[in-house]
Amino acid sequence: MKRKGAVLLATGALAVVLAVWRMAGDTMQVERIHSRKDELLYWIATLISNTLGTSTGDYLAHDNGGLGAGYITSTIIISAALVMLLASHYLTPISATLIFWAAYVLTRPFGANAGNALSKTREQGGLGIGTYGASAVLLGLLVICLIYQVFTHRQQTQVLPRSDSQPAR
């Protein structure tokens, strides 16, 4: 019950901060923060989001006070939730800001539980490849994602012709 209470408390706190941010008349778009008030609300929401993410991951994975799904199953559950958020971003009119904050919360337990699923022993509910093995797997995934981003970004970048009236940058 303790872990469930932490999840509920952090969820409520995040909802309050986001509601205050919205009632203040701001867009809550993290890429367009223009005032100190926006920045303060952003950092408060970030701190609460990290706490919520940690408590969610613990609640899903652990037996004592949680669902006890284990590291591997909880990583699969969180991955499915992230895929659903991605799909909802492209296929529904749900606010991109709401989807961002939901995904932002889920990245914390995803990383922690996936890392534990790789590094913990089989007796502890993991795959047992150890810290170095898990680090190597995650580094490999990071390199693959970076290479993908570099090549897809280059394909999407469009160079516009410069007119004589535009100054050189």
Side-chain angles (χ1 to χ4, degrees):
M1 188 63 184
K2 233 171 135 176
R3 293 183 196 276
K4 185 177 182 180
V7 170
L8 293 173
L9 181 64
T11 301
L14 182 59
V16 167
V17 170
L18 293 177
V20 166
W21 198 353
R22 182 71 177 152
M23 287 188 304
D26 296 313
T27 62
M28 300 179 352
Q29 293 178 347
V30 296
E31 67 276 359
R32 294 188 187 113
I33 294 178
H34 298 293
S35 70
R36 287 193 191 269
K37 177 186 65 175
D38 284 350
E39 189 166 354
L40 177 65
L41 289 167
Y42 167 78
W43 284 111
I44 292 171
T46 296
L47 289 171
I48 294 170
S49 295
N50 283 316
T51 302
L52 176 57
T54 300
S55 59
T56 299
D58 289 347
Y59 178 71
L60 287 172
H62 298 287
D63 285 328
N64 54 348
L67 292 179
Y71 298 121
I72 296 170
T73 303
S74 64
T75 300
I76 293 168
I77 292 168
I78 296 165
S79 297
L82 287 167
V83 167
M84 288 173 42
L85 287 171
L86 179 65
S88 65
H89 174 68
Y90 289 105
L91 302 174
T92 70
I94 297 173
S95 163
T97 301
L98 180 62
I99 293 171
F100 166 82
W101 284 104
Y104 193 69
V105 166
L106 290 177
T107 58
R108 173 71 177 104
F110 174 76
N113 289 8
N116 285 333
L118 293 171
S119 65
K120 298 291 183 183
T121 65
R122 293 187 187 278
E123 294 79 30
Q124 294 172 311
L127 296 175
I129 65 173
T131 304
Y132 293 120
S135 296
V137 167
L138 295 173
L139 177 62
L141 287 172
L142 177 65
V143 168
I144 289 168
C145 289
L146 286 172
I147 291 169
Y148 172 80
Q149 181 64 31
V150 165
F151 285 110
T152 59
H153 181 70
R154 284 188 183 157
Q155 292 171 358
Q156 294 172 4
T157 302
Q158 192 176 34
V159 177
L160 299 174
R162 201 180 96 197
S163 70
D164 292 336
S165 63
Q166 292 178 329
R169 293 185 188 193

